[in-house]
Amino acid sequence: MSLTRQLKWCWAVTLIVTLLGGCVPYPRERPGYIDLCESEHTFSVDSPGGKQEIFLETYLYDHAIPGRYMPEKRGHFTIPHVQGPEAEPEFYVQLIAYNKGRQRLSHPGSKGLPPLPVILDTRQAYIDLGDGKHRSARPEVFLGTRSFPYDFPEDNMEFARPSPYDINSDEVHRNVPRITNNDDYGSAYVVFKIYNKYANTHWSIHLGELEVAGQKVTVPPLKLCYQPTLKWIGIEPLMRP
């Protein structure tokens, strides 16, 4: 056999072994973690244009990240302008608010309904720790940027907006990162002054009331639930839990 044919044969064998090796099922595991029990909320309000539905999506983590079954979640925010041991990450909740049929600024040229202001005052927001203690939110609403592909608040006060603030504003919805929980609308973030590693199922997150078309809409407490360990047999990247 010539040297050229030997090299071609070796290359073919190597390719076949590699392909077969990648198709062998093997055990996978997503460790258990704490997450919101429920993320999607709908409200109905009377507006000048008639009755409208308001959607509020709430997330602790970016569930669109490939490999989100890993326990190292992103639910934290680094205190701006603080250095040293005091610079512990803070806990945050991602909010995506919009009225049904709202124009999607992330889709140039798209048509839709005009925005209905959804006003949030984070000075009302707090975490009930389940032991009689509360931890207040920062008084600002934080925005994200397109600096990174993922959806999280920018740890820079340049992107902080004082409460009360319209979380259905064009300023929010113009910024939709490539990997996010909602690829049509942007996010605002409420940051709480507590380190996320302490999160447990005794917590409940209270956002208070939204003001929509002059009406007060109460957001139900956001409960935390334990998502149990999940084990499966899979072929990456073809199968995920």
Side-chain angles (χ1 to χ4, degrees), residues 94-163:
Q94 175 187 8
L95 306 182
I96 303 171
Y98 53 97
N99 51 293
K100 185 177 182 179
R102 187 206 197 282
Q103 181 186 15
R104 298 176 296 172
L105 300 179
S106 58
H107 298 255
S110 67
K111 298 181 180 180
L113 296 176
L116 197 62
V118 178
I119 308 301
L120 172 70
D121 190 344
T122 60
R123 295 171 298 181
Q124 302 175 353
Y126 64 91
I127 294 178
D128 184 337
L129 302 179
D131 58 1
K133 298 178 182 178
H134 291 175
R135 192 61 57 94
S136 297
R138 282 175 169 266
E140 305 90 0
V141 174
F142 286 84
L143 307 179
T145 71
R146 296 195 181 199
S147 303
F148 301 94
Y150 302 119
D151 202 350
F152 56 88
E154 183 68 37
D155 57 350
N156 186 323
M157 296 306 291
E158 177 185 349
F159 300 95
R161 300 293 181 266
S163 291

Side-chain angles (χ1 to χ4, degrees), residues 132-194:
K133 298 178 182 178
H134 291 175
R135 192 61 57 94
S136 297
R138 282 175 169 266
E140 305 90 0
V141 174
F142 286 84
L143 307 179
T145 71
R146 296 195 181 199
S147 303
F148 301 94
Y150 302 119
D151 202 350
F152 56 88
E154 183 68 37
D155 57 350
N156 186 323
M157 296 306 291
E158 177 185 349
F159 300 95
R161 300 293 181 266
S163 291
Y165 178 78
D166 179 9
I167 59 175
N168 189 28
S169 66
D170 288 353
E171 181 179 39
V172 171
H173 292 313
R174 282 197 184 98
N175 178 36
V176 181
R178 180 168 57 85
I179 299 178
T180 174
N181 286 309
N182 186 316
D183 57 9
D184 289 327
Y185 298 104
S187 305
Y189 309 88
V190 181
V191 180
F192 296 88
K193 303 173 183 179
I194 187 169

Side-chain angles (χ1 to χ4, degrees), residues 55-71:
F55 298 99
L56 176 67
E57 300 177 22
T58 57
Y59 301 98
L60 295 187
Y61 310 115
D62 196 332
H63 292 268
I65 295 178
R68 59 184 169 86
Y69 46 85
M70 298 300 291

